[in-house]
Amino acid sequence: MSREINRQIGILVKRSGDIEYVMVGDHRSITIPSLSDYRAGSSRLRGLRCIHTHLDDEPLTHDDLTDLALLRLDIMAGIIARPDGLPGLVHAAHLLPRPVRGENIFFLEPRIPAQLDIDFQGLIQSLEDEIAREQAVQTVGGKKDRAFLIDVTTTSREAAEESLEELRELARTAGVEVLDSIIQRRDKIHPKYIMGKGKLGDLLIKTLQRGANLLIFDHELNPSQIRSITDFTDMRVIDRTQLILDIFARRARSREGKIQVEMAQLNYLLPRLVTRDDALSRLTGGIGGRGPGETRLEIDRRRVRERIARLTKELKSISKQRELRRKIRKRKDIPIISIVGYTNAGKSTLLNALTKSQFLAEDRLFATLDPASRRIRFPREAEAIITDTVGFIRDLPRDLFEAFRATLEELQDADIIIHLIDISNKNFREHIEAVEHIMETLELHHIPAIKVFNKIDRVSPEYVATQGRAYNALAISAMNPDTLSPFIETIQGIVEKAHTQVKEI
Ligand SMILES: Nc1nc2c(ncn2[C@@H]2O[C@H](COP(=O)(O)OP(=O)(O)OP(=O)(O)O)[C@@H](O)[C@H]2O)c(=O)[nH]1
Ligand SMILES: [Mg+2]
């Protein structure tokens, strides 16, 4: 028939032998329908094999192999339809549970159908078992998400490398196990899949072999990109923004912090709610007493909007209390010192060292979400309030920034801003830029700020000296109180000056 109509014909066959789909292509190729509902979410093979005709006398094509990998088919087979209409050689291939000599795909010896005496059921079962064993070996020790990190760049590999380093830290903080990371350089970001389709296929075989269930992109993905990649790969797909949102959600402790994070999450979710326009969803729309034809999606959207409205109200009443506290503080006329900086710079450690308190400080990103304030008494009787707040990060997701605006705007009350910098981080320049950018957005430039290098114990004194001159920064190690004296001296000076100025007015 393939010869008669001069088109490829293919079938997708279940393990039971039943035919799930019949496809008719053109002369050169065939398109497999979306299989996202078929054994979706399984980290093993799909349970479908594709058998299709080839009109030219050729082995499996690049597209065939890409489909095999992307769709995790049990087997991909091409039968040559000879000009006389009889079947010629069958070319078939399957995925390998682990690479063999760098190859991820195994090609069966081409045979004519009559000579194919392979036990396919047995072969597929043994492949499945082996994949399951491989994955079991790798998953011992917990139910963590197992992720591949992906950065597609149009600029330098180095910049991508550095950016991935931070993504790895974020993933670690979120409790995700990072199996591998991939950088692809392209002239242009692929509008649908970010990376090229072929590369995505290679990646998928690797994720299958290593039992990954999550792809984390070092980009902000738009809703349709997330959808395309999810449909295509059947894996959970998240972007950097969502990763940061997840971390914030885990970290939020106070009522205010929790509300702020939830608002950011909902605002992020809203445009990403995917339509499921099937009959059932229309039905549920009707049952709720809502107008006929309202889809599940519209209901979900409306619920999200209602929740946002409710949270906004609650947040307002909390801000009022905050406003009150601010006023009391101002009336007392005690200068305020605020510590700002990139996440993990050591802000909480410094606050603890200066005020002998015990706020949480740890080697994770975004350890602090709720602002903390403590009184500090200086050697010459002066007094101030010192505050620590949420850490900054480059490309802070806009939804989060908006949600935390109220908290961050308290920085307006500061008499001095201490911009703390982890000098031992090789990206400290980018960190400074990111922090300054956010400070600009918050319109804090009129407040005197001093740059302070932290963690000088981790780099050489020469490095501290040269960088210190370049950036006009003080240097401390928040972990070592002996290094703090010149720093305390300086801020005390500024505090006293600010104070007398206030009195003169
Ligand atoms: N070696 C060294 N480590 C430091 C120093 N100061 C802080 N740290 C470590 O750096 C890590 C982060 O410190 P935090 O005080 O939590 O940093 P933070 O700026 O408050 O971070 P977030 O609240 O997550 O934004 C912790 O593991 C600290 O122990 C220092 O002077 N030297
Ligand atoms: Mg902190």
Side-chain angles (χ1 to χ4, degrees):
M1 196 185 288
S2 207
R3 266 290 157 209
E4 273 171 30
I5 61 174
N6 201 26
R7 290 163 181 271
Q8 293 192 0
I9 297 178
I11 48 175
L12 290 176
V13 187
K14 294 206 269 195
R15 300 227 174 121
S16 62
D18 295 328
I19 294 177
E20 184 73 15
Y21 291 101
V22 177
M23 304 154 292
V24 179
D26 57 22
H27 182 85
R28 290 282 317 146
S29 66
I30 205 160
T31 307
I32 298 181
S34 162
L35 300 177
S36 52
D37 285 339
Y38 200 86
R39 272 187 91 178
S42 146
S43 51
R44 281 181 261 157
L45 297 175
R46 179 81 53 168
L48 288 176
R49 66 197 107 121
C50 174
I51 304 170
H52 70 298
T53 56
H54 274 189
L55 293 167
D56 295 324
D57 188 5
E58 60 179 0
L60 294 174
T61 63
H62 184 76
D63 283 349
D64 291 339
L65 299 177
T66 305
D67 282 343
L68 172 68
L70 283 179
L71 303 170
R72 298 196 320 266
L73 297 171
D74 290 353
I75 286 212
M76 171 60 83
I79 305 178
I80 302 209
R82 294 192 334 205
D84 60 8
L86 291 172
L89 286 176
V90 178
H91 293 270
H94 62 73
L95 299 176
L96 284 166
R98 77 181 82 83
V100 176
R101 271 174 253 110
E103 291 301 322
N104 289 308
I105 293 180
F106 184 82
F107 293 90
L108 292 129
E109 184 90 27
R111 294 264 166 83
I112 56 167
Q115 287 169 348
L116 275 178
D117 56 353
I118 295 168
D119 171 13
F120 277 111
Q121 296 289 353
L123 172 66
I124 290 162
Q125 197 51 54
S126 75
L127 285 177
E128 283 268 11
D129 291 348
E130 214 175 318
I131 290 171
R133 258 197 319 277
E134 281 290 308
Q135 294 181 352
V137 173
Q138 291 162 355
T139 40
V140 281
K143 278 207 159 97
K144 281 182 165 186
D145 272 320
R146 299 161 54 79
F148 273 54
L149 309 184
I150 300 152
D151 187 296
V152 181
T153 177
T154 52
T155 59
S156 83
R157 216 186 154 75
E158 256 164 43
E161 210 82 68
E162 282 169 10
S163 178
L164 263 182
E165 193 55 46
E166 182 171 279
L167 192 69
R168 207 170 287 130
E169 276 303 300
L170 286 166
R172 188 176 68 88
T173 299
V176 171
E177 184 183 346
V178 175
L179 299 176
D180 208 347
S181 48
I182 287 110
I183 294 177
Q184 192 191 16
R185 247 199 58 80
R186 288 175 65 91
D187 291 336
K188 247 171 65 194
I189 301 282
H190 192 288
K192 220 169 152 191
Y193 302 114
I194 308 293
M195 66 198 315
K197 228 172 164 178
K199 190 85 179 175
L200 197 57
D202 294 346
L203 169 74
L204 274 185
I205 302 177
K206 278 196 206 143
T207 59
L208 173 70
Q209 289 169 336
R210 302 201 51 193
N213 63 340
L214 182 63
L215 298 179
I216 305 179
F217 281 82
D218 196 9
H219 303 257
E220 172 132 357
L221 302 180
N222 67 35
S224 76
Q225 286 165 335
I226 292 200
R227 212 170 313 147
S228 317
I229 302 171
T230 309
D231 280 354
F232 211 65
T233 64
D234 243 8
M235 298 193 41
R236 225 149 38 86
V237 175
I238 65 174
D239 61 5
R240 182 174 179 274
T241 301
Q242 201 185 342
L243 187 60
I244 295 176
L245 283 169
D246 282 357
I247 295 172
F248 271 67
R250 282 156 180 259
R251 297 258 146 180
R253 290 286 168 270
S254 71
R255 181 78 196 130
E256 185 177 27
K258 284 189 175 142
I259 296 178
Q260 287 170 325
V261 174
E262 193 180 342
M263 294 253 288
Q265 283 180 312
L266 292 174
N267 279 319
Y268 177 83
L269 181 71
L270 205 53
R272 287 170 174 78
L273 284 172
V274 181
T275 179
R276 291 268 320 266
D277 235 358
D278 46 51
L280 192 72
S281 64
R282 284 187 184 283
L283 264 182
T284 51
I287 290 168
R290 320 250 144 59
E294 190 179 34
T295 60
R296 171 95 243 142
L297 175 69
E298 287 159 35
I299 297 177
D300 288 349
R301 287 223 173 104
R302 196 152 43 76
R303 286 209 182 113
V304 169
R305 279 199 204 98
E306 279 164 10
R307 177 119 189 106
I308 292 177
R310 211 153 358 106
L311 291 174
T312 312
K313 253 192 217 149
E314 200 174 329
L315 205 54
K316 260 203 194 121
S317 86
I318 296 178
S319 324
K320 269 194 198 130
Q321 297 163 18
R322 167 193 291 284
E323 203 50 42
L324 209 64
R325 259 181 293 151
R326 276 171 77 172
K327 274 198 190 124
I328 293 172
R329 210 188 278 161
K330 265 195 190 149
R331 218 178 303 140
K332 285 194 178 154
D333 194 26
I334 302 175
I336 296 170
I337 304 166
S338 290
I339 310 174
V340 303
Y342 212 75
T343 180
N344 213 38
K347 301 179 293 298
S348 301
T349 311
L350 179 61
L351 178 73
N352 287 341
L354 290 173
T355 65
K356 312 208 167 29
S357 7
Q358 298 291 331
F359 290 107
L360 174 78
E362 54 177 337
D363 191 16
R364 300 230 150 173
L365 307 187
F366 303 113
T368 308
L369 286 195
D370 298 322
S373 304
R374 274 284 178 277
R375 240 162 230 261
I376 174 172
R377 203 172 275 285
F378 288 109
R380 292 193 299 271
E381 289 299 296
E383 215 186 15
I385 285 173
I386 183 156
T387 70
D388 169 26
T389 187
V390 55
F392 296 172
I393 193 161
R394 81 185 160 84
D395 304 331
L396 183 73
R398 213 198 60 232
D399 293 328
L400 265 181
F401 180 79
E402 285 307 323
F404 277 79
R405 202 178 246 282
T407 313
L408 292 171
E409 274 175 354
E410 252 189 56
L411 290 170
Q412 296 277 5
D413 295 344
D415 295 285
I416 322 173
I417 290 177
I418 297 171
H419 177 177
L420 196 65
I421 298 143
D422 175 359
I423 185 70
S424 73
N425 189 308
K426 64 178 189 310
N427 297 330
F428 81 91
R429 290 176 192 85
E430 284 78 31
H431 294 181
I432 292 177
E433 258 171 47
V435 170
E436 286 183 339
H437 176 71
I438 294 173
M439 283 177 24
E440 253 164 54
T441 317
L442 290 167
E443 299 183 359
L444 300 173
H445 37 258
H446 61 281
I447 301 171
I450 51 171
K451 288 197 185 69
V452 178
F453 286 156
N454 187 30
K455 309 197 190 181
I456 55 168
D457 54 298
R458 293 173 61 173
V459 290
S460 75
E462 296 76 40
Y463 187 65
V464 173
T466 40
Q467 298 303 334
R469 271 195 301 277
Y471 285 90
N472 189 20
L474 294 171
I476 61 166
S477 167
M479 299 237 282
N480 177 4
D482 296 343
T483 64
L484 296 179
S485 314
F487 163 71
I488 293 177
E489 192 66 29
T490 309
I491 49 174
Q492 179 170 12
I494 303 176
V495 165
E496 283 171 350
K497 216 167 112 199
H499 219 53
T500 43
Q501 271 172 356
V502 169
K503 280 193 182 135
E504 277 162 16
I505 293 163

